[in-house]
Amino acid sequence: MATVGKKFPSLSVDAMNEMGDTFKLNVLEEAVKNNKKVLLFWYPKDFTFVCPTELHAFQAALSEFEKRNTIVIGASCDTPEVHFAWLNQSKANGGIEGVTYPLLADSNRNLSSILGILDITNETYDEATGTVQVEGDNVTYRATYLIDEEGTVFHEGINHMPVGRNVNEYLRLIDAYTHVQEKGEVCPANWEEGKEAMQANAKATAEYLAAN
């Protein structure tokens, strides 16, 4: 179910910080109460392979997101304790030591289920046990959400497990959306900060195409 153009679900989820503190975090409230944009990125599992490269990449760009009034939050279905163990493992050993943004611990899968981003290929009801059994790892795909200051999702993207994200693309998307908010113009294909945007009408489109 697409969430673009809708309010992000209001749900408090366990989270862990680099100090080892477990607390409740509501992504929608983080955006609205702080009057900031939020980048929420989900990854499949702690202590895996592509995942630490992404967490370190977002950490390396954290100051760029902060310049853009944007909060970064990571998320998976691991427990807070597993997050903290990974935070205490060095980068040289595949860990995420040095990551300072919060990590959601959606171990009950409530939020990821609402978003529909779990790796479940099939569900069957077992009459003998009265349980629903799933096929798949039941962990999240690499889903990314950009949420504005009012809590509205303005970008949603989902990668399959083996494909890591390009952090710079999210900076570009935030720049583009901020330009729309501030200038009232729309951003054409491949737009980057400093490039020409255009008014949302046929004449402006024709002029832009003729010049580009």
Side-chain angles (χ1 to χ4, degrees):
M1 181 180 67
T3 61
V4 172
K6 302 173 185 175
K7 296 290 185 185
F8 192 82
S10 181
L11 189 69
S12 294
V13 181
D14 282 342
M16 171 63 67
N17 64 24
E18 80 276 16
M19 302 300 294
D21 301 318
T22 301
F23 58 99
K24 292 290 186 181
L25 192 154
N26 184 308
V27 175
L28 177 66
E29 290 180 359
E30 286 295 300
V32 176
K33 288 185 177 180
N34 293 298
N35 192 35
K36 291 179 181 287
K37 294 180 175 67
V38 173
L39 181 146
L40 171 66
F41 73 98
W42 295 80
Y43 61 92
K45 298 177 186 177
D46 291 358
F47 295 97
T48 52
F49 318 113
V50 174
C51 296
T53 69
E54 293 193 308
L55 272 80
H56 285 297
F58 279 109
Q59 180 66 36
L62 195 58
S63 63
E64 291 299 319
F65 286 105
E66 290 171 347
K67 288 177 188 175
R68 291 161 172 81
N69 197 42
T70 300
I71 298 167
V72 174
I73 302 171
S76 77
C77 296
D78 296 278
T79 65
E81 295 79 10
V82 173
H83 280 337
F84 190 54
W86 205 24
L87 282 163
N88 279 284
Q89 182 165 306
S90 70
K91 184 177 181 181
N93 288 318
I96 59 167
E97 186 178 27
V99 166
T100 61
Y101 49 81
L103 300 176
L104 293 187
D106 189 36
S107 55
N108 58 18
R109 292 163 170 73
N110 285 341
L111 183 55
S112 48
S113 294
I114 292 170
L115 295 170
I117 56 174
L118 289 166
D119 173 27
I120 298 174
T121 55
N122 191 36
E123 293 180 283
T124 56
Y125 179 72
D126 187 317
E127 293 187 2
T129 61
T131 59
V132 175
Q133 299 181 6
V134 301
E135 296 175 20
D137 287 340
N138 202 20
V139 297
T140 67
Y141 293 107
R142 299 187 192 281
T144 314
Y145 298 87
L146 292 176
I147 302 153
D148 70 15
E149 297 86 348
E150 296 181 351
T152 301
V153 178
F154 65 91
H155 169 83
E156 173 185 27
I158 302 176
N159 291 6
H160 206 345
M161 309 299 189
V163 182
R165 282 162 277 217
N166 183 331
V167 172
N168 288 330
E169 172 62 5
Y170 301 108
L171 294 170
R172 189 194 73 84
L173 288 167
I174 292 168
D175 286 342
Y177 193 75
T178 301
H179 185 93
V180 172
Q181 289 175 309
E182 294 179 351
K183 306 294 185 182
E185 296 179 316
V186 294
C187 298
N190 299 322
W191 184 91
E192 295 176 346
E193 184 64 47
K195 288 188 175 182
E196 179 186 0
M198 57 191 196
Q199 296 295 321
N201 58 61
K203 181 175 181 290
T205 300
E207 290 174 350
Y208 178 87
L209 292 172
N212 295 276

